[in-house]
Amino acid sequence: MSDLKLTNIGKSFGKVEVLHGIDLTIRSGEFVALLGASGCGKTTLLRIVAGLDSVGSGKVEIGGTDVTDLPPEKRDIAMMFQSYALLPHMSVAENVRFPLRMRRQGARSEQAARVKAALETVRLAHLAERMPRQLSGGQQQRVALARAIVSDPKVLLLDEPLSNLDARLREEMQVELIDIHRRIGLTTLFVTHDQDEALSLSDRVVLMNAGGIEQEAAPRDIYDAPATAYASSFLGAANLLPAEISGGQARLADGQTLAVPAGTGAGAATLALRQENIDIGPDGSLTATVVTRVYLGARHRYILDLAGQRISVLAPASVMLEPGSAVRIGIAPDRIRVLPA
Amino acid sequence: MVRAVPGWVRIGAWIFVLLAALFLLAPLIVVMGVSVSEAQFIAFPPKGFSLRWYEKALNSPAYVDAFWLSLRLAALVTVSACILGGAAAIGLSRARRSGGVVETFFLSPLVLPSIIFAIGLLMVWSAIFGPTSFHALWLAHTVVALPYVIRTTLAVLAERDPHLEEAARTMGATRLQRLWFVTLPQCRPGLLAGAFFAFNISFDEAVLSLFLRNPNLVTLPVQIYGQLEFSPDPTVAAVSTLMILITVALMLILERMLGLTRFASG
Amino acid sequence: MTDRRETWLLLSPGLVLLVVAFLLPIARMLVLSVQGPDGTTLVHFNRFFQDAYYPLVLWRTVYLSAIITLICMVIGFPLAYIMARSTPRIRLWLVIMVILPLMTSVVVRTFGWMVLLGRSGLIASSLRDLGLAGRSFQLMQTETAITLGMVQVLLPFMVLSLLGVLVRLDPRLEEAARTMGCSFLQTLRTVVLPLAAPGLLAGSILVFTLSASSFVTPSLLGGARIEMLAGSIYKNVTQTLDWNFAAAQAVILFAGIAALLIPYLKLGARPHG
């Protein structure tokens, strides 16, 4: 495995600029998630790293070598596709052997041993002679994974590989990916639009927006301390409230005030409040009106009107409030993120 | 069959289909019937039952030679059409957006009557090589068989997973390796179906073979045509029936292997 | 090697074949049609139009082809519609029924018609038995024979053209029309027919072109007396070896087809309301 360095990557398709000024360094063995909504450029960036799309401008370096002008087949990478892309006319074992065969890595016996090891890593050694069409979606995905790790690539690229799986299978595969990464530790770049996936799998999350990097940080940091309103709303359902800060207090649109963390600069700002951090109860310092109650089984989700803004608050199922009634809510100052206005 | 359709329409439809079937298949049935007739002359319904005309056909040098010529020709045409057509289909599938005109050009022999180039081909060939030969027929038949192979192969390629080739690239496969390990296997069902069509087209082809014929170059359809121009005896029917049976066999194999109907419409 | 280079490499053998064995012959034919002993000339074309015989042949070719096309439309549309609305199993058998004659040699099919239509053929003798025809009645060597034979040969082309379009037609459109008060036939006329028009257009162009250019069936069923243009071309090429004249006739034939089809295409390309 190697490190991956992207310098000032830009890319346009025709007149549409898809990526601009991307600078990113991924250390050897790091698992990085490229997170973002459709069209933010994350898949394009991944394909540029793979060499499937050329750069408009900038440089791609893998393990210190400039691979910008190299085609994919010469880059010593491995990629896992959303559609698995298993060769339908070859067995599982032959599929897994394919990269070794194409790169002429080792004698047949050595290749066979590596194939066996890769299949055992994904716990599919018993299906080595089956054809892809005989496998379930989850099994096909694992074959694709085995095929990706067998050649010991410098960089492993994953293009939304779990999107086609149902929820339960997806969770299983996420655990497998974490496990395999821990054991083998390949440098991995993982594209997803699912923030939960990014948070649970990666060492570092790179949030992309409109062709640029919005924020990059460890999962905990990016969730607890999003740098922008976009980051805030993308990761976790956050409520955004405009407010005026002065003297350690935030003044909302309807005049209500609440305490903010010490040292917050004065002026106009946006407060980001997570729905799970807002407490409904008589101790609260703010008043809001209930708009809608949504029953979620273990909890309620309330849509409240606070200072003219709709906000979402989670509460235990035991808390029953009627739409139209007034309610008191509070939030601890250190749970409030103050963002630029 | 059809829902919410008035009763009289439904009955009418069945009768109509029956009549249409009769109309479409009548000549073939007639030919097969005549071939087993015992009588000396051609008559339908046949009188008696006899296989003597088959015997006569199999013993007739004219028919046997024509058969072998048609067989050799069809086999070689199948090979050339599949190689050229397969390559063209792969190329066309890559150039899909900008390839519209080229694709139409390749498929044009499907809708243009073969007489349009039969005349000119004879004239060009005579000017360069003199009398027509096996190679002239091979060339001509390949032109008409080519679009069938292209069409079936393109249809198969259109359904393939576009990521397979990219995946192969990321696994280190060079251009040639991708062609061999990914693209050609993807083409296989289409090439196979195209091969059957090509063989059948060439074996049955009459127009080009008639224009390019010479006394040493008589294909089976040309031989039959020649007999029909004069006074045919039931031997012609026997030979024709054998041709029908070959076609039926090809169709059955095609349907069994690949499902005929997917190539039928469109 | 780049992608483009590879694509061209794949396409070129086929392209070379088509240029050499398809385009070149057509070009040669065009050249021959205006070639005379002293250079370019229109004498071959003149010969065609000044003779009393040949324009008649042309006219016969055109109007017979038109009739054949019309009959194919009338029979082909209901047949294709029934096939499109059948269950897949029945449709499979119907498709086989349509494709089988298409895949047999045209000489074989024509031979079958020769038997059916001849003096001792089934049709003639039945008509005689019913007292509807005289002793020496036969359908051979008539325009009726040519029409019957050609319709049988070309009907599958029309059906397959229409089938492709009709199968893609959502049956719920017809169901919606029925719920809005249209009878079955009205639905066919106002919903199905307009939407099937592209298939009808493509099919009729195909049938007309093939019909006007065919010589095997018309020659065998029509005989020497009733000649179609393609038959005349064949005769001039293989028998009288009058190649310039044959080339001129071929040019006239295809120019005529094109001339008839262009307005027809324009008609079809007109947007329907």
Side-chain angles (χ1 to χ4, degrees):
Chain A
M1 65 206 111
S2 308
D3 60 10
L4 171 66
K5 187 157 177 226
L6 303 172
T7 317
N8 198 28
I9 302 282
K11 176 75 181 175
S12 299
F13 286 112
K15 291 213 184 79
V16 182
E17 194 186 38
V18 179
L19 293 169
H20 54 265
I22 304 279
D23 290 301
L24 185 61
T25 305
I26 300 177
R27 292 182 294 280
S28 178
E30 212 185 351
F31 192 122
V32 171
L34 286 180
L35 176 65
S38 315
C40 69
K42 57 192 193 299
T43 301
T44 310
L45 189 59
L46 190 79
R47 289 173 61 90
I48 285 179
V49 175
L52 292 170
D53 285 333
S54 57
V55 295
S57 59
K59 210 160 50 145
V60 178
E61 288 165 88
I62 298 182
T65 316
D66 187 344
V67 300
T68 318
D69 297 322
L70 286 183
E73 50 265 30
K74 297 217 171 78
R75 287 194 188 195
D76 199 7
I77 52 168
M79 188 158 166
M80 223 171 124
F81 290 81
Q82 197 172 351
S83 62
Y84 323 137
L86 297 181
L87 297 164
H89 55 283
M90 293 186 180
S91 70
V92 164
E94 283 167 2
N95 259 286
V96 176
R97 190 177 147 235
F98 197 73
L100 303 176
R101 208 170 154 197
M102 291 300 109
R103 299 205 168 103
R104 288 176 231 272
Q105 287 180 357
R108 279 214 111 165
S109 47
E110 190 195 322
Q111 288 179 356
R114 287 170 75 173
V115 166
K116 187 148 172 273
L119 283 175
E120 274 166 2
T121 308
V122 299
R123 294 178 285 115
L124 280 182
H126 59 291
L127 294 176
E129 297 312 312
R130 294 275 176 91
M131 302 297 285
R133 63 174 176 275
Q134 295 172 300
L135 303 178
S136 70
Q139 289 169 330
Q140 288 184 24
Q141 193 58 289
R142 283 193 272 158
V143 175
L145 183 57
R147 191 175 70 178
I149 63 180
V150 74
S151 58
D152 199 21
K154 293 210 172 80
V155 180
L156 177 61
L157 305 168
L158 306 165
D159 185 7
E160 303 206 47
L162 309 182
S163 303
N164 279 354
L165 303 174
D166 63 60
R168 178 173 306 177
L169 222 47
R170 202 187 304 185
E171 284 175 21
E172 277 180 30
M173 277 299 293
Q174 287 171 4
V175 172
E176 287 224 30
L177 280 175
I178 297 175
D179 198 44
I180 289 174
H181 179 70
R182 208 163 15 93
R183 276 189 281 152
I184 305 185
L186 289 169
T187 313
T188 309
L189 194 55
F190 177 91
V191 162
T192 179
H193 60 272
D194 185 321
Q195 47 125 336
D196 291 329
E197 215 164 69
L199 292 174
S200 52
L201 292 177
S202 54
D203 297 324
R204 192 152 48 109
V205 175
V206 173
L207 179 64
M208 289 184 68
N209 182 24
I213 295 182
E214 185 86 1
Q215 183 179 357
E216 52 171 297
R220 191 173 288 272
D221 296 331
I222 203 172
Y223 186 81
D224 287 340
T228 64
Y230 182 82
S232 193
S233 49
F234 198 92
L235 291 147
N239 302 299
L240 297 171
L241 288 169
E244 188 72 34
I245 315 270
S246 75
Q249 294 279 326
R251 177 181 231 84
L252 300 176
D254 65 350
Q256 298 194 73
T257 58
L258 66 157
V260 289
T264 308
T270 304
L271 306 180
L273 314 166
R274 296 229 180 266
Q275 57 180 357
E276 63 266 21
N277 292 335
I278 301 175
D279 306 310
I280 297 182
D283 305 330
S285 55
L286 299 169
T287 310
T289 318
V290 178
V291 178
T292 313
R293 179 181 67 227
V294 181
Y295 178 61
L296 297 174
R299 296 184 287 195
H300 276 125
R301 185 162 141 240
Y302 284 101
I303 309 294
L304 307 177
D305 185 315
L306 173 65
Q309 282 280 99
R310 293 277 168 94
I311 63 172
S312 175
V313 180
L314 291 177
S318 52
V319 174
M320 281 288 285
L321 301 167
E322 290 307 313
S325 57
V327 66
R328 297 197 71 82
I329 56 173
I331 181 166
D334 60 347
R335 295 306 188 111
I336 303 176
R337 280 288 294 164
V338 180
L339 302 169
Chain B
M1 193 162 82
V2 195
R3 296 155 290 172
V5 155
W8 64 267
V9 169
R10 199 177 296 212
I11 299 176
W14 275 110
I15 298 180
F16 178 75
V17 168
L18 234 58
L19 288 174
L22 209 62
F23 178 66
L24 283 173
L25 299 175
L28 301 177
I29 300 173
V30 166
V31 166
M32 288 164 74
V34 169
S35 70
V36 292
S37 155
E38 207 163 5
Q40 189 81 335
F41 48 87
I42 293 187
F44 187 85
K47 301 180 180 17
F49 184 89
S50 164
L51 291 177
R52 58 196 273 221
W53 305 112
Y54 288 92
E55 218 191 312
K56 189 150 178 254
L58 292 171
N59 287 322
S60 147
Y63 279 119
V64 170
D65 289 344
F67 172 76
W68 284 118
L69 179 68
S70 285
L71 197 66
R72 258 171 60 221
L73 185 61
L76 286 173
V77 166
T78 304
V79 170
S80 58
C82 280
I83 294 178
L84 294 177
I90 296 175
L92 284 173
S93 71
R94 292 182 202 280
R96 222 49 209 279
R97 335 114 220 150
S98 49
V101 166
V102 184
E103 189 177 324
T104 311
F105 178 53
F106 269 114
L107 294 177
S108 51
L110 275 176
V111 293
L112 292 174
S114 38
I115 197 175
I116 195 175
F117 74 100
I119 310 165
L121 188 60
L122 175 62
M123 300 175 185
V124 168
W125 188 277
S126 312
I128 304 179
F129 300 106
T132 57
S133 71
F134 184 84
H135 295 97
L137 268 183
W138 186 5
L139 212 62
H141 279 207
T142 306
V143 170
V144 279
L146 193 70
Y148 286 89
V149 176
I150 294 180
R151 190 171 61 171
T152 56
T153 310
L154 264 183
V156 163
L157 283 176
E159 294 172 348
R160 65 177 166 173
D161 183 354
H163 289 302
L164 276 186
E165 243 207 283
E166 290 189 335
R169 292 187 82 181
T170 64
M171 290 189 270
T174 63
R175 211 171 271 280
L176 226 59
Q177 284 173 318
R178 295 196 305 265
L179 211 61
W180 182 256
F181 285 106
V182 181
T183 315
L184 274 181
Q186 285 174 325
C187 290
R188 214 173 55 142
L191 279 177
L192 221 49
F196 280 109
F197 277 115
F199 187 90
N200 193 59
I201 290 290
S202 170
F203 198 75
D204 287 347
E205 209 284 330
V207 174
L208 288 163
S209 312
L210 279 168
F211 270 92
L212 296 173
R213 94 211 272 199
N214 68 50
N216 298 320
L217 206 63
V218 176
T219 65
L220 198 53
V222 169
Q223 174 69 18
I224 294 178
Y225 183 87
Q227 291 292 102
L228 291 179
E229 272 183 315
F230 304 111
S231 51
D233 66 5
T235 318
V236 176
V239 178
S240 303
T241 306
L242 288 174
M243 284 187 74
I244 296 175
L245 291 176
I246 292 178
T247 299
V248 171
L250 281 174
M251 275 184 72
L252 280 176
I253 300 176
L254 200 61
E255 174 59 31
R256 176 69 56 85
M257 288 183 76
L258 304 156
L260 190 65
T261 44
R262 71 203 280 227
F263 299 116
S265 39
Chain C
M1 189 188 323
T2 61
D3 273 343
R4 285 201 81 205
R5 190 105 62 85
E6 186 192 7
T7 306
W8 278 110
L9 215 66
L10 288 167
L11 289 173
S12 26
L15 277 176
V16 165
L17 175 75
L18 283 184
V19 165
V20 163
F22 186 71
L23 285 184
L24 189 63
I26 296 179
R28 176 88 182 134
M29 180 185 78
L30 289 169
V31 162
L32 268 176
S33 68
V34 292
Q35 214 177 48
D38 312 307
T40 327
T41 167
L42 287 175
V43 67
H44 312 293
F45 291 97
N46 284 337
R47 187 172 146 205
F48 186 91
F49 289 109
Q50 275 154 16
D51 193 317
Y53 178 67
Y54 290 107
L56 175 65
V57 171
L58 178 62
W59 170 240
R60 177 186 296 132
T61 305
V62 167
Y63 87 72
L64 273 184
S65 301
I67 294 177
I68 290 165
T69 307
L70 206 63
I71 298 179
C72 281
M73 272 202 268
V74 166
I75 303 181
F77 181 77
L79 189 56
Y81 181 74
I82 294 173
M83 287 169 73
R85 295 283 170 265
S86 309
T87 63
R89 267 210 98 209
I90 298 184
R91 190 183 320 151
L92 180 62
W93 281 109
L94 292 179
V95 166
I96 291 179
M97 168 190 101
V98 164
I99 291 191
L100 183 58
L102 202 55
M103 284 182 76
T104 54
S105 183
V106 67
V107 287
V108 168
R109 281 181 276 170
T110 309
F111 173 45
W113 281 112
M114 287 171 75
V115 173
L116 271 176
L117 300 171
R119 200 169 300 143
S120 41
L122 194 60
I123 297 182
S125 50
S126 321
L127 287 176
R128 252 179 269 137
D129 292 341
L130 290 170
L132 292 169
R135 284 207 67 222
S136 59
F137 178 76
Q138 65 159 350
L139 279 169
M140 278 290 287
Q141 322 223 331
T142 62
E143 290 183 347
T144 316
I146 296 179
T147 310
L148 270 176
M150 292 299 295
V151 167
Q152 194 260 354
V153 167
L154 296 176
L155 185 62
F157 287 99
M158 177 71 75
V159 169
L160 290 177
S161 254
L162 282 169
L163 190 62
V165 171
L166 287 174
V167 144
R168 281 181 254 273
L169 217 56
D170 193 344
R172 286 174 293 184
L173 285 173
E174 298 159 56
E175 291 178 352
R178 301 292 300 286
T179 62
M180 288 190 270
C182 282
S183 76
F184 178 71
L185 288 178
Q186 270 180 316
T187 313
L188 279 185
R189 191 166 47 87
T190 57
V191 175
V192 182
L193 209 50
L195 290 173
L200 214 54
L201 188 67
S204 41
I205 290 177
L206 190 59
V207 169
F208 185 84
T209 308
L210 292 174
S211 163
S213 332
S214 66
F215 77 92
V216 172
T217 309
S219 302
L220 289 174
L221 293 179
R225 286 189 305 121
I226 307 199
E227 216 177 17
M228 303 249 291
L229 195 49
S232 165
I233 297 176
Y234 178 67
K235 205 175 62 181
N236 284 124
V237 169
T238 59
Q239 287 168 20
T240 64
L241 296 181
D242 196 344
W243 285 4
N244 296 84
F245 188 46
Q249 289 179 63
V251 170
I252 293 173
L253 175 62
F254 294 116
I257 294 177
L260 277 160
L261 290 183
I262 290 175
Y264 193 59
L265 271 165
K266 289 252 169 72
L267 204 78
R270 200 185 41 170
H272 345 267

